[in-house]
Amino acid sequence: MEKQERFARGAGILLPIFSLPSKFGIGAFDSAAYNFVDFLKMSGQKYWQILPLNPTGFADSPYQSSCAFAGNPYFLDISKILPHDTAHHLETEFSEHIDYFELFQNRAKILRQNFSGIPQEIKNEYSTFCKENEFWLEDYSLFMAIKERNNYKPWLEWEYEDLKRHDEEAIKEFLSENRDEIEFWKYVQYLFFSQWHSLKSYANENGITVIGDLPIYVSLDSSDVWANRQLFLLNEEGYPLEVAGVPPDSFSNDGQLWGNPIYDWNEMKKDGYMWWKRRLQLSSVLYDAVRIDHFIGFVNYYSIPYGAHDAKNGEWKRGPGKHLIDSWRDIGNIKIIAEDLGNVTDEVGELMKDAGFPGMKILQFAFTSGYDNRHLPHNFEENSVIYGGTHDNQTLLGYFSVCDNRELEFACDYFNIENKSPAAISEEIIRAGLESRADIAIFSLQDYLGLDDSARINTPSVLEGNWRWRVSEKLLTQELSDKIRERCVKYGR
């Protein structure tokens, strides 16, 4: 693969779409999103990092989606779709936490009630969209229509065995009898992509590079697995032979049991990893750059027997490595950031270096060992992306409020500060990240706001209460914007 050019030096803010202060119970592609782009520009930011745009699945997670290619219908600006009176009636008082159950119960129902076919004025554009995305859109819309008919049960629990097996004759019969329902799901995706492209274009016009997020694995209960069973390690009934996760570490005694099915890399290799190439190609349309989650899994992945209750008894296996990365040579113009956290072998490092992919440095991890810790600012290489913490971590204030006293002492000694308050250390962490040699410095909006763990996005291995936090528009002040911009100017960001 041709070596990737480095990113321009700059700063960015991590804020998921769902965390925006929109009017309809969850962040969306509405005026609040455009206002946030304006906030980023005023704050001297060059990057906006988001989380996966895919529909949420098990435990409301965007990393357990019904489709690795589809967009989340909850993000639609429904004021542009529904009649004014209907949309106005759906507006809610701002809540800091998303009610996913309410969205699941009502959003698709409301959209369907107002769907009466494809509007004449966009039929040509809609037709082009369907043709360009046929390789995933046909299976996804069919999958969702069948899933709804089965009360949204996982596909392995569907009533009819022939539909579970993706039997060709059964599929044809269902298609002929449910064309309107299938058309509805396609139309929702057309609306999603249209609205997202408008927002992304606005961001680009204002000098903001959008960094997306690509989960390495897909959900078992997805159109990807249902329609492409040969690409995954499954038994004859469709259940996984083994599942993904990570082994026990200092953060978890049981490890993390993600439960995603493992790819059959040998099968994928036969057509040159076409499924992955198509996924990266779509990402090049959706984003300017993409962070690939758990990048190390392409070299070595942790395999856990299906049915295990924890991740203790898994084993490391070889991934496709360079063969897969080389297959991306003709992918569209998109830059890649590799999440190189966890079991980072020399082979992972060499693969990233040869491809030119920057890795990640996490300042929350910097004070757990000595001065050779790769997450300490003086050890950063320029071709890297520095974070205070990721969406899976505590906020800076939350972390330094409860961390080991030795870490606290180390951080204060390293930064030569006498004030051991978590707030003071958090401020110093942000300053050090912006000052560092790393090409990109990204901090969560919560850390710029100095919020505690009540604003945390996700706690790994905890099934409830995640992916819910939203920011109040009242917090996005001119004072905050000026403060962030001043720091970025000072450190050449």
Side-chain angles (χ1 to χ4, degrees):
M1 182 177 181
E2 189 174 321
K3 198 163 187 174
Q4 176 175 287
E5 292 184 7
R6 281 174 43 193
F7 285 86
R9 180 175 174 84
I13 290 178
L14 169 61
L15 186 75
I17 296 295
F18 62 73
S19 292
L20 291 165
S22 303
K23 299 177 181 178
F24 300 101
I26 188 171
F29 305 147
D30 62 359
S31 59
Y34 288 82
N35 291 341
F36 186 68
V37 170
D38 295 339
F39 177 85
L40 290 169
K41 183 179 181 180
M42 290 188 300
S43 303
Q45 303 300 285
K46 293 180 181 176
Y47 300 96
W48 178 14
Q49 182 164 338
I50 59 176
L51 294 187
L53 291 173
N54 309 116
T56 50
F58 177 70
D60 304 317
S61 172
Y63 294 88
Q64 295 285 352
S65 179
S66 56
C67 180
F69 298 85
N72 191 339
Y74 297 161
F75 295 163
L76 289 173
D77 179 2
I78 56 179
S79 67
K80 294 179 179 177
I81 304 169
L82 306 181
H84 174 74
D85 290 346
T86 303
H88 181 71
H89 178 71
L90 295 172
E91 291 183 9
T92 61
E93 291 293 323
F94 174 80
S95 172
E96 193 176 83
H97 296 101
I98 299 164
D99 185 344
Y100 281 103
F101 182 74
E102 193 277 335
L103 289 168
F104 175 75
Q105 290 286 97
N106 298 306
R107 185 58 57 88
K109 185 188 303 181
I110 292 165
L111 291 172
R112 187 179 292 101
Q113 288 172 349
N114 288 272
F115 174 68
S116 57
I118 309 303
Q120 186 65 38
E121 62 271 18
I122 58 97
K123 276 195 171 181
N124 289 338
E125 187 176 309
Y126 170 76
S127 178
T128 299
F129 168 79
C130 291
K131 288 178 182 177
E132 291 178 347
N133 293 278
E134 182 178 9
F135 67 92
W136 66 268
L137 186 60
E138 293 294 328
D139 286 326
Y140 168 73
S141 55
L142 178 62
F143 177 80
M144 292 305 297
I146 301 174
K147 194 173 180 66
E148 185 177 38
R149 186 63 58 87
N150 284 268
N151 295 315
Y152 288 96
K153 291 180 181 178
W155 67 267
L156 283 165
E157 298 176 17
W158 287 353
E159 181 178 355
Y160 298 106
E161 288 294 325
D162 48 3
L163 289 175
K164 282 168 59 175
R165 295 195 312 271
H166 203 273
D167 178 79
E168 186 174 343
E169 290 303 315
I171 295 297
K172 285 182 180 178
E173 182 178 350
F174 188 90
L175 279 168
S176 65
E177 295 175 355
N178 298 274
R179 294 190 184 280
D180 289 345
E181 181 63 18
I182 293 166
E183 197 81 79
F184 164 75
W185 288 106
K186 289 182 182 179
Y187 181 57
V188 167
Q189 287 304 303
Y190 163 80
L191 292 172
F192 174 92
F193 277 76
S194 298
Q195 290 191 8
W196 169 246
H197 286 317
S198 294
L199 176 58
K200 179 182 176 295
S201 295
Y202 184 75
N204 292 162
E205 289 163 6
N206 283 278
I208 306 298
T209 293
V210 178
I211 302 175
D213 193 293
L214 196 69
I216 186 172
Y217 292 116
V218 300
S219 171
L220 174 62
D221 186 29
S222 66
S223 59
D224 310 289
V225 179
W226 172 68
N228 303 281
R229 286 167 60 163
Q230 76 281 4
L231 300 181
F232 300 86
L233 296 177
L234 311 175
N235 64 20
E236 291 184 359
E237 286 75 37
Y239 290 92
L241 297 172
E242 47 196 273
V243 294
V246 290
D249 55 21
S250 59
F251 297 97
S252 172
N253 293 330
D254 293 331
Q256 295 179 33
L257 179 61
W258 299 335
N260 307 78
I262 301 290
Y263 298 110
D264 186 336
W265 290 115
N266 290 328
E267 185 66 29
M268 283 191 158
K269 187 178 180 180
K270 291 178 181 178
D271 66 359
Y273 305 103
M274 183 56 68
W275 186 89
W276 264 100
K277 290 172 71 172
R278 284 173 166 169
R279 196 176 180 199
L280 264 293
Q281 185 66 52
L282 184 66
S283 295
S284 73
V285 175
L286 288 171
Y287 316 112
D288 303 302
V290 64
R291 184 199 80 118
I292 298 184
D293 175 63
H294 199 59
F295 182 87
I296 64 172
F298 292 138
V299 177
N300 300 291
Y301 63 90
Y302 192 66
S303 174
I304 305 164
Y306 179 67
H309 297 293
D310 56 45
K312 292 180 179 178
N313 297 316
E315 62 177 310
W316 288 102
K317 296 185 178 182
R318 293 280 299 171
K322 189 174 184 297
H323 290 113
L324 174 66
I325 306 305
D326 284 345
S327 74
W328 299 347
R329 186 175 288 109
D330 56 349
I331 297 301
N333 184 29
I334 187 169
K335 287 188 171 182
I336 289 171
I337 297 168
E339 191 218 20
D340 56 338
L341 306 176
N343 184 35
V344 184
T345 62
D346 290 342
E347 188 177 353
V348 173
E350 287 299 317
L351 181 61
M352 291 170 56
K353 183 177 180 181
D354 290 345
F357 298 161
M360 294 171 55
K361 312 297 181 185
I362 311 298
L363 282 165
Q364 280 189 29
F365 299 166
F367 309 102
T368 57
S369 56
Y371 292 107
D372 60 347
N373 187 314
R374 74 185 186 95
H375 298 285
L376 283 170
H378 71 269
N379 292 324
F380 294 170
E381 59 267 24
E382 290 179 321
N383 189 30
S384 61
V385 184
I386 166 64
Y387 296 83
T390 73
H391 62 277
D392 285 332
N393 298 130
Q394 296 173 261
T395 65
L396 287 176
L397 184 66
Y399 182 80
F400 286 103
S401 296
V402 298
C403 73
D404 188 285
N405 192 57
R406 287 173 297 179
E407 289 182 57
L408 205 63
E409 293 284 350
F410 187 2
C412 291
D413 177 67
Y414 184 84
F415 293 124
N416 192 29
I417 57 176
E418 295 182 4
N419 186 347
K420 295 182 181 179
S421 74
I425 296 174
S426 300
E427 285 289 305
E428 188 62 20
I429 287 281
I430 294 174
R431 185 207 61 77
L434 293 172
E435 183 187 39
S436 74
R437 299 170 62 216
D439 287 336
I440 303 179
I442 292 180
F443 290 92
S444 71
L445 183 63
Q446 297 96 305
D447 289 337
Y448 277 122
L449 289 167
L451 301 180
D452 61 21
D453 279 348
S454 63
R456 184 171 181 169
I457 293 294
N458 179 50
T459 303
S461 300
V462 173
L463 297 182
E464 296 182 357
N466 294 318
W467 321 109
R468 296 177 182 273
W469 180 79
R470 299 174 66 213
V471 61
S472 168
E473 201 161 24
K474 296 177 182 178
L475 297 179
L476 300 175
T477 64
Q478 186 66 51
E479 181 183 2
L480 176 64
S481 177
D482 291 343
K483 182 179 179 181
I484 296 172
R485 183 182 186 87
E486 181 181 344
R487 287 176 170 181
C488 292
V489 170
K490 184 175 183 179
Y491 297 115
R493 294 283 178 187

